Amino acid sequence: MRELVVISGKGGTGKTSIAASLAVLAGRCVIADCDVDAADLHLVLAPTIRRREEFRSGHEAIIRQPDCISCGACVTYCRYDAILQCTGGNDAAAPRGSHSACRGCDLCQRACALRTNEIMREMWQASGQGGPPVFVIDPLACEGCGVCVHFCPVHAIDFVERTCGEWFVSDTRCGPLVHARLGTAAENSGKLVSLIRQNARKLAEEQGIERVLIDGSPGIGCPVIASITGAALTLVVTEPTPSGLHDLTRVGELTRHFGVPTLVCINKWDINPDVSQTIDAHAAEAGMTVAGRIRYDAAVTQAQIQGKAVVEHTATGCVEDLHALWAAIDPLWSAAAPNGHAPSSPCTAPTTEPDRA
Ligand code: SF4
Ligand code: SF4
């Protein structure tokens, strides 16, 4: 099995548009959308979902309100200000020093840690200051460190696995697609990328499909490392701008560090032919092969509006360049060494800076 991963130094270079056209030109292959932080390949490939699974990663703390004695210890210990006091009128349960009457001596907290919540509630009622405050944990602010769980004197905080999104196996006109939707503000996208890749590989093995085309993550962080490690070939999509050249350098260092053969495609090369020429020279120096140049063409936007790959929308202009790109990639993809072993989790991948030697 051979994975081709389409990546870029940053978002917005046209990576996904090119990946969609390659998916059409490649014929039957397994497709994986590993750009999970901004997944949009499904907008072009119009998948029919066959399987849907929850993606769980990390933990979050949740207070069981009936068991909470409103001591406020969790607020004191949370370094991320993730625990909020919603209602109530007693100073002892508020963040230390935030009310004028409370001197923050903690005596009540230490004493009451040994008592039952019934006793605490009687004390609150006897105080004549209304009911106890209610503490809730903001799920977006909680980092899942577990400190509040450890220090809660009555063990009133659950520590549950966090649901971060969903992943899917779908059918498309180009072949099976494995893709995902990460929840709002959800993290651990590198772990989700590994999960998507593992399932795409498994699907390819089950169906006897030799090629897996991956729309990888942009940048050089954990998700892109999870996208490329062990792949047979990468295609870096770049633009002819100074930042495009800089990003290509960084991505090239990363792919070299992981020993993945690297092709380059200059998208919209004609908006700055001089920088395109510089990119050609730089790629050659860095051991990367420029597999193609694609001209600027408004047909790309028109195709996107119609939910098509541009090679399905027209046969001229940039599509001629895409066919030439495919003609260069196809034999290299077939001849590439089969995949190595991708890590089961990005946590097993090196996290140091790429080798700059
Ligand atoms: S798990 Fe950590 S971050 Fe989350 S509320 Fe508890 S102490 Fe704060
Ligand atoms: S430490 Fe436990 S009992 Fe005290 S306020 Fe927090 S959740 Fe409630």
Side-chain angles (χ1 to χ4, degrees):
M1 183 200 315
R2 290 169 174 82
E3 288 172 313
L4 167 64
V5 191
V6 185
I7 56 176
S8 59
K10 66 174 182 63
T13 59
K15 169 180 65 65
T16 299
S17 296
I18 290 172
S21 286
L22 294 179
V24 173
L25 295 171
R28 188 164 171 76
C29 62
V30 173
I31 307 151
D33 189 350
C34 288
D35 188 359
V36 295
D37 288 295
D40 50 11
L41 200 53
H42 63 283
L43 299 175
V44 178
L45 298 183
T48 304
I49 294 173
R50 300 291 180 210
R51 180 180 166 198
R52 178 190 294 259
E53 301 277 347
E54 276 189 350
F55 169 59
R56 296 201 185 113
S57 182
H59 288 79
E60 66 181 313
I62 299 173
I63 295 174
R64 291 191 312 278
Q65 295 301 336
D67 297 327
C68 172
I69 58 173
S70 299
C71 70
C74 52
V75 174
T76 305
Y77 286 112
C78 179
R79 296 183 62 186
Y80 301 97
D81 294 330
I83 303 176
L84 311 171
Q85 178 182 327
C86 290
T87 60
N90 192 290
D91 294 346
R96 192 176 300 177
S98 63
H99 291 257
S100 57
C102 178
R103 296 293 176 263
C105 72
D106 278 351
L107 181 62
C108 60
Q109 290 187 21
R110 280 181 273 130
C112 292
L114 305 175
R115 302 179 182 214
T116 66
N117 55 356
E118 284 78 17
I119 294 172
M120 287 292 288
R121 286 183 202 290
E122 282 174 20
M123 289 172 62
W124 286 111
Q125 283 160 9
S127 73
Q129 297 181 59
V134 175
F135 293 90
V136 291
I137 296 176
D138 177 355
L140 295 182
C142 174
E143 290 285 331
C145 67
V147 167
C148 60
V149 180
H150 181 78
F151 284 103
C152 175
V154 291
H155 307 293
I157 306 179
D158 290 331
F159 202 43
V160 300
E161 253 194 319
R162 192 190 290 264
T163 300
C164 297
E166 290 181 297
W167 63 275
F168 317 92
V169 178
S170 301
D171 290 335
T172 75
R173 61 189 181 283
C174 301
L177 170 69
V178 187
H179 53 129
R181 181 166 52 215
L182 204 55
T184 305
E187 294 177 355
N188 278 321
S189 54
K191 190 174 174 186
L192 181 55
V193 168
S194 293
L195 184 71
I196 298 291
R197 273 186 78 189
Q198 281 166 8
N199 280 280
R201 286 171 163 221
K202 194 169 158 214
L203 204 60
E205 278 168 8
E206 286 169 0
Q207 300 192 11
I209 298 174
E210 174 60 18
R211 288 176 165 183
V212 177
L213 175 65
I214 297 173
D215 183 13
S217 306
I220 58 167
C222 180
V224 74
I225 290 171
S227 297
I228 64 169
T229 43
L233 196 61
T234 56
L235 173 68
V236 183
V237 177
T238 188
E239 288 178 327
T241 61
S243 68
L245 179 59
H246 176 256
D247 292 338
L248 176 65
T249 305
R250 296 194 313 160
V251 173
E253 288 171 351
L254 192 72
T255 57
R256 192 170 70 239
H257 177 84
F258 286 100
V260 185
T262 305
L263 309 177
V264 175
C265 167
I266 308 174
N267 195 23
K268 305 177 200 162
W269 73 269
D270 48 341
I271 62 172
N272 196 335
D274 289 343
V275 176
S276 293
Q277 218 166 354
T278 307
I279 289 175
D280 279 346
H282 173 80
E285 267 174 35
M288 299 182 275
T289 306
V290 177
R293 290 175 164 203
I294 298 171
R295 72 194 82 168
Y296 172 80
D297 193 337
V300 174
T301 307
Q302 290 157 10
Q304 285 170 344
I305 291 167
Q306 293 180 22
K308 291 179 178 174
V310 68
V311 292
E312 298 172 304
H313 175 67
T314 180
T316 57
C318 73
V319 172
E320 294 164 20
D321 303 334
L322 281 161
H323 279 282
L325 175 69
W326 172 243
I329 291 174
D330 188 18
L332 294 171
W333 193 0
S334 298
N339 279 14
H341 287 290
S344 56
S345 153
C347 300
T348 61
T351 53
T352 51
E353 280 284 297
D355 184 6
R356 292 175 190 278

